[in-house]
Amino acid sequence: MNQHNKSHVRLFLLISMIIMMSSLYVWTSPSHHNQSSDNSVAQSLVGTKEAGHASSKENAKIASSTDSASASSPDQSMLSQPFDPHDMSLMGIHLDDSTEDLTSSWGEPSSSYIMPEEEPVKVYEYDGFSVGCTASGHVAFVEVHQSGLHTGIDGLRVGEHSDTVKKAMGSPDQDSGYVWGYSTSHSMLRLDLDPTTSKVHAVKLFRTTAA
């Protein structure tokens, strides 16, 4: 190998060594380590932030479910009580209850409308029953029309046979064959019966004298 070629070989080896040493310096320098550490920290923070968002969403979902449960209507099966002819109610609602008492127990109605009576009554519609309230803000009547719905009175449901009702509530004060009435001095619980099947078609509690 001539002298010229040897010089080229030495120069190539020298350049290679310089490049290798420079690369080694870069990879072992503090700035490279700091950059890697910063990247790790950044990734960790992003993961923590995403986990925080997920946790917040889950907590919001749980809170929403809890709020919905607390705002829901009362368990109708828990309302059921033996019939008391001296303290009549329907769906746990008494005729001396206020509109605020109604919405506190059952929430906002699905709809409402005004009955154009001599004294207008605002009717609140709920699932399976309706409640009429006077302009002064007191319950005027409660009517249950959905079959199988708990009425708040043991043994009394729409669709129940009259024999079962009589066993639970006793004989009515009025009996026309297709309408039964349980009355007090100021109110009446009326049961509309199907004359063919003798089953309860609807139940209504209303005032018979002025409030």
Side-chain angles (χ1 to χ4, degrees):
M1 181 179 293
N2 55 37
Q3 187 67 30
H4 180 70
N5 289 337
K6 289 181 179 180
S7 298
H8 277 287
V9 171
R10 289 193 188 96
L11 180 60
F12 176 78
L13 292 174
L14 179 61
I15 292 172
S16 297
M17 290 180 65
I18 291 172
I19 292 174
M20 290 177 62
M21 291 180 67
S22 297
S23 299
L24 182 62
Y25 174 79
V26 170
W27 282 100
T28 57
S29 65
S31 62
H32 178 77
H33 283 297
N34 290 340
Q35 184 177 4
S36 299
S37 177
D38 290 344
N39 288 339
S40 298
V41 171
Q43 291 175 357
S44 177
L45 289 174
V46 169
T48 302
K49 186 176 182 181
E50 290 177 348
H53 282 310
S55 177
S56 297
K57 289 180 179 179
E58 184 64 25
N59 289 338
K61 183 177 180 182
I62 293 172
S64 177
S65 299
T66 302
D67 291 341
S68 297
S70 62
S72 63
S73 299
D75 183 355
Q76 295 171 16
S77 63
M78 298 298 290
L79 294 174
S80 191
Q81 300 290 333
F83 177 60
D84 183 354
H86 303 293
D87 183 26
M88 293 196 293
S89 63
L90 201 56
M91 303 302 297
I93 303 167
H94 293 78
L95 292 176
D96 57 355
D97 285 351
S98 66
T99 306
E100 288 74 18
D101 293 330
L102 172 65
T103 54
S104 176
S105 297
W106 290 98
E108 293 300 321
S110 57
S111 63
S112 63
Y113 62 91
I114 302 295
M115 290 178 62
E117 304 289 334
E118 182 178 347
E119 293 185 8
V121 172
K122 187 172 184 179
V123 180
Y124 296 84
E125 293 283 356
Y126 290 91
D127 186 18
F129 71 100
S130 57
V131 182
C133 292
T134 64
S136 62
H138 288 85
V139 173
F141 71 82
V142 184
E143 184 169 12
V144 181
H145 50 78
Q146 180 175 302
S147 181
L149 187 68
H150 285 276
T151 63
I153 300 174
D154 288 344
L156 177 60
R157 299 191 193 192
V158 174
E160 197 73 75
H161 195 278
S162 59
D163 289 343
T164 302
V165 174
K166 187 177 289 186
K167 288 179 182 178
M169 299 177 58
S171 299
D173 300 308
Q174 292 88 34
D175 181 359
S176 70
Y178 54 90
V179 175
W180 284 5
Y182 295 85
S183 60
T184 68
S185 59
H186 63 275
S187 61
M188 175 177 287
L189 182 68
R190 188 185 75 195
L191 281 59
D192 295 336
L193 305 178
D194 185 320
T196 303
T197 63
S198 295
K199 291 184 177 181
V200 178
H201 178 68
V203 184
K204 185 174 183 178
L205 175 65
F206 58 96
R207 196 177 298 279
T208 55
T209 58

